[in-house]
Coordinates of all heavy atoms in Angstrom, one line a residue:
Chain A
E133 N -11.2 9.8 52.2 CA -10.8 8.5 51.7 C -10.8 8.4 50.2 O -10.0 7.7 49.6 CB -11.7 7.4 52.4 CG -11.1 7.0 53.7 CD -12.0 6.0 54.4 OE1 -12.5 5.0 53.7 OE2 -12.2 6.2 55.6
D134 N -11.9 9.0 49.6 CA -12.0 9.0 48.2 C -10.8 9.7 47.5 O -10.3 9.3 46.6 CB -13.3 9.7 47.7 CG -14.6 9.0 48.2 OD1 -15.0 8.1 47.6 OD2 -15.0 9.4 49.4
L135 N -10.4 10.8 48.1 CA -9.3 11.5 47.6 C -8.0 10.7 47.7 O -7.2 10.7 46.7 CB -9.2 12.9 48.3 CG -8.1 13.8 47.8 CD1 -8.3 14.2 46.3 CD2 -8.0 15.1 48.6
S136 N -7.9 10.0 48.8 CA -6.7 9.1 48.9 C -6.6 8.1 47.8 O -5.6 7.8 47.3 CB -6.7 8.4 50.3 OG -6.6 9.4 51.3
E137 N -7.8 7.5 47.6 CA -7.8 6.4 46.6 C -7.6 7.0 45.2 O -6.9 6.4 44.4 CB -9.3 5.8 46.7 CG -9.3 4.3 46.3 CD -10.6 3.6 46.5 OE1 -11.4 4.2 47.3 OE2 -10.8 2.6 45.8
I138 N -8.1 8.2 44.9 CA -7.9 8.9 43.6 C -6.4 9.1 43.5 O -5.8 8.8 42.4 CB -8.7 10.1 43.5 CG1 -10.2 9.8 43.3 CG2 -8.1 11.0 42.4 CD1 -11.1 11.0 43.3
L139 N -5.8 9.6 44.5 CA -4.3 9.9 44.5 C -3.5 8.5 44.2 O -2.6 8.5 43.4 CB -3.8 10.5 45.7 CG -4.2 12.0 45.8 CD1 -4.1 12.5 47.3 CD2 -3.4 12.8 44.9
T140 N -3.9 7.4 44.8 CA -3.2 6.2 44.6 C -3.3 5.8 43.1 O -2.3 5.4 42.5 CB -3.8 5.1 45.5 OG1 -3.8 5.5 46.8 CG2 -3.1 3.8 45.4
L141 N -4.5 5.9 42.6 CA -4.8 5.6 41.1 C -3.9 6.5 40.3 O -3.3 6.0 39.3 CB -6.2 5.6 40.8 CG -7.1 4.5 41.4 CD1 -8.5 4.7 41.2 CD2 -6.6 3.1 40.9
L142 N -4.0 7.8 40.5 CA -3.3 8.7 39.7 C -1.8 8.5 39.7 O -1.1 8.7 38.7 CB -3.6 10.2 40.1 CG -5.0 10.7 39.9 CD1 -5.2 12.2 40.4 CD2 -5.4 10.6 38.5
R143 N -1.2 8.2 40.9 CA 0.2 7.8 40.9 C 0.5 6.6 40.0 O 1.5 6.6 39.4 CB 0.7 7.6 42.3 CG 0.7 8.9 43.2 CD 1.3 8.7 44.6 NE 0.9 9.8 45.4 CZ 0.1 9.7 46.5 NH1 -0.4 8.5 46.8 NH2 -0.2 10.7 47.2
E144 N -0.4 5.6 40.0 CA -0.2 4.5 39.2 C -0.2 4.9 37.7 O 0.6 4.5 37.0 CB -1.4 3.5 39.5 CG -1.0 2.0 39.6 CD -2.1 1.2 40.1 OE1 -2.6 1.4 41.2 OE2 -2.5 0.2 39.3
F145 N -1.2 5.7 37.3 CA -1.3 6.3 35.9 C 0.1 7.0 35.6 O 0.7 6.7 34.6 CB -2.3 7.3 35.8 CG -3.7 6.7 35.5 CD1 -4.8 7.0 36.4 CD2 -3.9 5.9 34.4 CE1 -6.0 6.5 36.1 CE2 -5.2 5.4 34.1 CZ -6.3 5.7 35.0
A146 N 0.5 7.8 36.6 CA 1.8 8.6 36.3 C 3.0 7.7 36.1 O 3.8 8.0 35.2 CB 2.0 9.5 37.5
Q147 N 3.0 6.6 36.8 CA 4.2 5.6 36.7 C 4.1 5.0 35.3 O 5.1 4.9 34.6 CB 4.1 4.6 37.7 CG 5.0 5.0 39.0 CD 5.2 3.8 39.9 OE1 4.3 3.1 40.0 NE2 6.4 3.9 40.6
I148 N 2.9 4.6 34.9 CA 2.8 4.0 33.5 C 3.2 5.0 32.5 O 3.8 4.6 31.5 CB 1.3 3.4 33.3 CG1 1.1 2.3 34.3 CG2 1.1 3.0 31.9 CD1 -0.4 1.9 34.4
Y149 N 2.7 6.2 32.7 CA 3.1 7.3 31.7 C 4.6 7.5 31.6 O 5.2 7.6 30.6 CB 2.4 8.6 32.2 CG 2.5 9.6 31.1 CD1 1.6 9.7 30.0 CD2 3.5 10.6 31.2 CE1 1.7 10.7 29.1 CE2 3.6 11.6 30.2 CZ 2.7 11.7 29.1 OH 2.8 12.6 28.2
K150 N 5.2 7.5 32.8 CA 6.7 7.7 32.9 C 7.5 6.6 32.2 O 8.5 6.9 31.6 CB 7.0 7.8 34.3 CG 8.4 8.5 34.5 CD 8.7 8.7 36.0 CE 10.2 9.2 36.1 NZ 10.6 9.5 37.4
A151 N 6.9 5.4 32.3 CA 7.6 4.3 31.6 C 7.5 4.4 30.1 O 8.3 3.7 29.4 CB 6.9 3.0 32.0
N152 N 6.6 5.3 29.5 CA 6.4 5.3 28.1 C 6.8 6.7 27.5 O 6.9 6.7 26.2 CB 4.9 5.0 27.7 CG 4.6 3.6 28.0 OD1 4.9 2.7 27.1 ND2 4.1 3.2 29.2
F153 N 6.7 7.7 28.3 CA 7.0 9.0 27.8 C 8.0 9.8 28.6 O 8.2 9.4 29.8 CB 5.7 9.9 27.7 CG 4.7 9.3 26.8 CD1 3.6 8.5 27.3 CD2 4.7 9.7 25.5 CE1 2.7 8.0 26.4 CE2 3.8 9.1 24.6 CZ 2.7 8.3 25.1
P154 N 8.8 10.7 28.1 CA 9.6 11.5 29.0 C 8.8 12.3 30.0 O 7.8 12.9 29.7 CB 10.3 12.5 28.0 CG 9.5 12.5 26.7 CD 8.8 11.1 26.7
C155 N 9.2 12.2 31.2 CA 8.3 12.7 32.3 C 9.1 12.8 33.6 O 9.6 11.6 34.0 CB 7.1 11.7 32.5 SG 6.0 12.1 33.8
E156 N 9.2 13.9 34.3 CA 10.0 14.0 35.5 C 9.2 13.8 36.8 O 9.6 13.1 37.7 CB 10.8 15.3 35.5 CG 11.9 15.3 34.6 CD 12.7 16.5 34.7 OE1 12.7 17.2 35.8 OE2 13.4 16.9 33.7
E157 N 8.1 14.5 36.8 CA 7.3 14.4 38.0 C 5.9 13.9 37.7 O 5.4 13.9 36.6 CB 7.1 15.8 38.6 CG 8.4 16.6 38.8 CD 8.1 18.1 39.2 OE1 7.2 18.3 39.9 OE2 8.9 19.0 38.6
P158 N 5.2 13.3 38.8 CA 3.9 12.7 38.5 C 2.9 13.7 37.9 O 2.2 13.3 37.0 CB 3.4 12.4 40.0 CG 4.6 12.4 40.9 CD 5.7 13.2 40.2
L159 N 2.9 14.9 38.3 CA 1.9 15.9 37.8 C 2.1 16.1 36.2 O 1.1 16.4 35.5 CB 2.0 17.2 38.4 CG 0.8 18.1 38.4 CD1 -0.5 17.4 38.8 CD2 1.0 19.4 39.3
D160 N 3.3 15.8 35.7 CA 3.6 16.1 34.3 C 2.7 15.2 33.4 O 2.4 15.6 32.4 CB 5.1 15.7 34.0 CG 6.0 16.7 34.6 OD1 5.6 17.8 35.1 OD2 7.3 16.4 34.6
A161 N 2.4 14.0 33.9 CA 1.6 13.0 33.2 C 0.2 13.7 32.9 O -0.4 13.3 31.8 CB 1.4 11.7 33.9
F162 N -0.3 14.5 33.8 CA -1.6 15.0 33.6 C -1.6 16.4 33.0 O -2.6 16.8 32.3 CB -2.3 15.0 35.0 CG -2.2 13.7 35.6 CD1 -1.4 13.5 36.8 CD2 -2.9 12.6 35.1 CE1 -1.3 12.3 37.4 CE2 -2.8 11.4 35.7 CZ -1.9 11.2 36.8
I163 N -0.5 17.2 33.3 CA -0.4 18.5 32.6 C -0.3 18.3 31.1 O -0.9 19.1 30.3 CB 0.8 19.2 33.1 CG1 0.6 19.6 34.6 CG2 1.1 20.4 32.3 CD1 1.8 20.2 35.3
E164 N 0.3 17.2 30.6 CA 0.5 16.9 29.3 C -0.8 16.9 28.6 O -0.9 17.3 27.4 CB 1.3 15.6 29.1 CG 1.4 15.1 27.7 CD 2.2 16.0 26.8 OE1 3.0 16.7 27.2 OE2 1.9 15.9 25.5
D165 N -2.0 16.4 29.2 CA -3.2 16.3 28.6 C -3.8 17.7 28.2 O -4.7 17.8 27.3 CB -4.2 15.7 29.6 CG -4.2 14.2 29.4 OD1 -3.6 13.7 28.4 OD2 -4.8 13.5 30.4
H166 N -3.3 18.7 29.0 CA -4.0 20.1 28.7 C -3.0 21.0 28.1 O -3.4 21.9 27.4 CB -4.4 20.6 30.1 CG -5.2 19.6 30.9 ND1 -6.5 19.2 30.5 CD2 -5.0 19.0 32.1 CE1 -7.0 18.3 31.2 NE2 -6.1 18.2 32.3
E167 N -1.6 20.9 28.5 CA -0.7 21.8 28.0 C 0.5 21.0 27.4 O 1.5 21.0 28.0 CB -0.2 22.8 29.1 CG -1.3 23.5 29.8 CD -2.1 24.4 28.8 OE1 -1.5 24.9 27.8 OE2 -3.3 24.6 29.0
S168 N 0.3 20.5 26.3 CA 1.3 19.6 25.6 C 2.6 20.4 25.5 O 2.7 21.5 25.1 CB 0.8 19.3 24.2 OG 1.8 18.6 23.5
G169 N 3.7 19.7 26.0 CA 5.0 20.3 25.9 C 5.4 21.1 27.2 O 6.5 21.5 27.3
M170 N 4.5 21.2 28.2 CA 4.8 21.9 29.5 C 4.9 20.9 30.6 O 4.2 19.9 30.5 CB 3.8 23.0 29.8 CG 4.0 24.3 29.0 SD 2.9 25.5 29.8 CE 4.1 26.6 30.6

Side-chain angles (χ1 to χ4, degrees):
Chain A
E133 274 175 44
D134 299 272
L135 185 56
S136 296
E137 211 172 339
I138 286 172
L139 283 165
T140 307
L141 290 172
L142 290 181
R143 285 187 201 112
E144 227 171 298
F145 278 122
Q147 267 192 328
I148 294 168
Y149 188 84
K150 201 177 170 173
N152 289 275
F153 296 96
C155 172
E156 283 182 27
E157 307 175 36
L159 201 52
D160 290 351
F162 310 108
I163 291 172
E164 174 61 28
D165 275 345
H166 311 296
E167 303 301 328
S168 176
M170 279 194 108

